[in-house]
Amino acid sequence: MQINHHVGRLVRDVNFTVRGENETKVAYFKLAINDLKDGKATYIDYVAFDKTAELIRDYVTDVGQVVEVNFVMRNHNYNDKNTGQKIYAMQNQVTQFRIYKSNHPSKNSAVQTQVADSKNSEVTDKDLPPYPDFSSNAFEYVEG
């Protein structure tokens, strides 16, 4: 099995829903992954199910928060409700995640508020808070 690994910043609030007769819990979220080659961010969507989805809903709560995810790429297909056509897509399904919470109050709260307020518009690299200083004791390690 292929396991993928990304570390990025939460772009917008997690979208948590319960679906189907089995009441499957689903969390959708997007991370901004820093591209070290040109300094721009790549925005990647992820999905989590059941207990992982609940944990993400409860702990991945702050726009700009650093999140580390392990995920598998899964085929996802469904029938379009309007056309009846079968749609094929890939999903990044989170199997494990870790969050990094700052022990210090954010120096960039205005930037984080700006990102949180711009949910309806496209977020650009300039809108995201800067990457944190990972020096010793700057972050508390939390695993989910």
Side-chain angles (χ1 to χ4, degrees), residues 14-139:
V14 173
N15 179 5
F16 181 83
T17 60
V18 178
R19 297 207 167 159
E21 294 176 6
N22 295 335
E23 297 186 353
T24 303
K25 292 150 185 83
V26 185
Y28 297 98
F29 62 102
K30 182 178 284 205
L31 296 180
I33 310 298
N34 191 25
D35 184 352
L36 298 177
K37 185 175 181 181
D38 61 8
K40 295 183 180 179
T42 301
Y43 301 93
I44 301 177
D45 293 309
Y46 302 89
V47 63
F49 297 100
D50 298 319
K51 187 62 177 177
T52 305
E54 290 177 332
L55 289 168
I56 287 172
R57 175 199 60 198
D58 295 341
Y59 291 100
V60 181
T61 56
D62 299 323
V63 172
Q65 182 177 16
V66 178
V67 182
E68 177 181 353
V69 292
N70 288 339
F71 63 97
V72 293
M73 296 177 74
R74 298 275 189 219
N75 287 320
H76 171 65
N77 55 55
Y78 58 95
N79 290 323
D80 187 304
K81 291 179 183 177
N82 299 327
T83 65
Q85 181 180 3
K86 192 153 195 156
I87 306 294
Y88 297 92
M90 294 293 291
Q91 283 185 330
N92 297 320
Q93 184 177 336
V94 175
T95 55
Q96 293 181 321
F97 73 98
R98 292 182 183 132
I99 57 173
Y100 297 89
K101 289 192 171 189
S102 175
N103 289 334
H104 306 291
S106 174
K107 299 174 189 172
N108 301 306
S109 58
V111 174
Q112 289 178 354
T113 302
Q114 176 186 359
V115 173
D117 291 341
S118 64
K119 289 179 194 169
N120 297 330
S121 63
E122 187 62 30
V123 177
T124 66
D125 298 340
K126 295 177 188 171
D127 296 328
L128 295 171
Y131 275 85
D133 173 18
F134 285 104
S135 62
S136 63
N137 298 328
F139 284 85

